[in-house]
Amino acid sequence: SGGLGVLGFSGNVGKAQQLGIYSSSRFGYNLGIEELVGGGYGIGLDFLGGQLAKSEQSPSANGNFQSSLINIGLNLNYHFDNNSILDESSPIAPYVSLGFSFLSFNSSSDMIAANGEKYYYWNDGSVRDQAQNASDALSAQILPMDHKYETDLHALALANEGLNYSQTSFAIPLGLGIAFKLTPECSIDLKATYFMTFTHYIDYISGSGISTSSNDAYLYTNVSFHYNFGLTEGRSEERRVGKECRSRW
């Protein structure tokens, strides 16, 4: 299988304003292979790549980040077109998945304007070249954010706090999908997968006033094309006796 989708992030950035998970969405892509083992169950190996991002401006918290993401996981899938719930010839076949995955991320933030000046967030929602409580704040100029994520957050945490946090972690993905069968071999799948990670450093921004206590999560919604290299005749009987050996892509 192979597909494209949208990644949304849920973490500390965006919590003060209760921003939606897709408020700063980014594109992702996925590849996968699955072996059906009988009874509607399948074991799949999946790859996900793309970016995560979030941006927030509020009186209590300000911050933004963008992170490159690589996710590799092993999943247990259950397909409802298993002749117990739905007939295997059903043109629409839902399925669910549960897995365990390894992820790697590299996060950065837009903290500096195009002219090299640091951003200062004011309570009126503006971004300026001086702090709001500076002695000459009346002369502060508004800075347009250039949305170039030039500041490496891991390097910043290490330099300012001596914090050498890991840029790898694990996640538990929960998925729900629907396969629309074009032929016995081909299908177009819609799927949403929610990844619960074991890290809260994907959106970590030092000194932002943003809490770093809760773990991060992300949602991937995608459309994929699947091709089945297995048998197309006698499938019902082979699946029933547990002898089917086809692979679902």
Side-chain angles (χ1 to χ4, degrees):
S1 66
L4 298 172
V6 179
L7 280 159
F9 179 80
S10 176
N12 295 303
V13 175
K15 184 176 293 184
Q17 290 184 290
Q18 298 181 341
L19 298 177
I21 196 167
Y22 279 134
S23 64
S24 302
S25 59
R26 293 291 188 273
F27 287 108
Y29 61 95
N30 59 282
L31 300 169
I33 185 170
E34 180 186 11
E35 176 75 16
L36 294 183
V37 295
Y41 290 98
I43 297 175
L45 179 64
D46 295 300
F47 172 88
L48 169 61
Q51 290 184 332
L52 299 171
K54 207 76 168 187
S55 180
E56 177 177 46
Q57 285 183 239
S58 72
S60 60
N62 294 284
N64 64 77
F65 85 97
Q66 181 172 278
S67 182
S68 59
L69 174 73
I70 293 177
N71 191 103
I72 301 174
L74 190 66
N75 297 310
L76 176 65
N77 305 315
Y78 182 76
H79 300 272
F80 289 88
D81 58 333
N82 55 14
N83 288 331
S84 294
I85 300 176
L86 293 176
D87 189 86
E88 67 177 15
S89 62
S90 173
I92 299 177
Y95 58 95
V96 293
S97 65
L98 173 66
F100 188 79
S101 61
F102 169 84
L103 65 99
S104 173
F105 60 92
N106 185 9
S107 303
S108 55
S109 181
D110 178 16
M111 296 183 174
I112 301 174
N115 59 9
E117 294 186 90
K118 179 182 176 180
Y119 296 136
Y120 292 93
Y121 296 91
W122 284 36
N123 291 340
D124 62 3
S126 63
V127 180
R128 309 200 180 204
D129 61 355
Q130 296 184 51
Q132 186 169 339
N133 58 358
S135 58
D136 54 349
L138 292 177
S139 63
Q141 300 296 312
I142 293 178
L143 292 176
M145 299 184 71
D146 59 7
H147 303 290
K148 293 182 179 179
Y149 298 86
E150 75 291 315
T151 304
D152 185 284
L153 292 179
H154 181 266
L156 185 66
L158 186 61
N160 291 351
E161 303 176 68
L163 177 61
N164 187 21
Y165 62 80
S166 176
Q167 296 182 91
T168 61
S169 184
F170 298 97
I172 297 176
L174 301 173
L176 173 63
I178 302 177
F180 297 89
K181 299 177 185 177
L182 307 178
T183 69
E185 295 82 15
C186 302
S187 70
I188 299 294
D189 288 23
L190 301 179
K191 188 178 182 183
T193 308
Y194 187 72
F195 294 83
M196 299 178 291
T197 79
F198 294 89
T199 181
H200 56 258
Y201 289 113
I202 296 178
D203 64 344
Y204 183 75
I205 300 177
S206 174
S208 65
I210 299 172
S211 170
T212 59
S213 59
S214 58
N215 286 342
D216 300 325
Y218 47 96
L219 177 65
Y220 182 55
T221 305
N222 67 295
V223 178
S224 296
F225 176 78
H226 288 244
Y227 186 81
N228 167 37
F229 289 93
L231 302 175
T232 59
E233 297 181 2
R235 187 181 300 168
S236 298
E237 179 65 19
E238 291 192 357
R239 181 180 286 172
R240 184 181 65 82
V241 298
K243 296 180 180 180
E244 182 181 14
C245 298
R246 73 180 176 93
S247 295
R248 180 185 181 93
W249 285 69

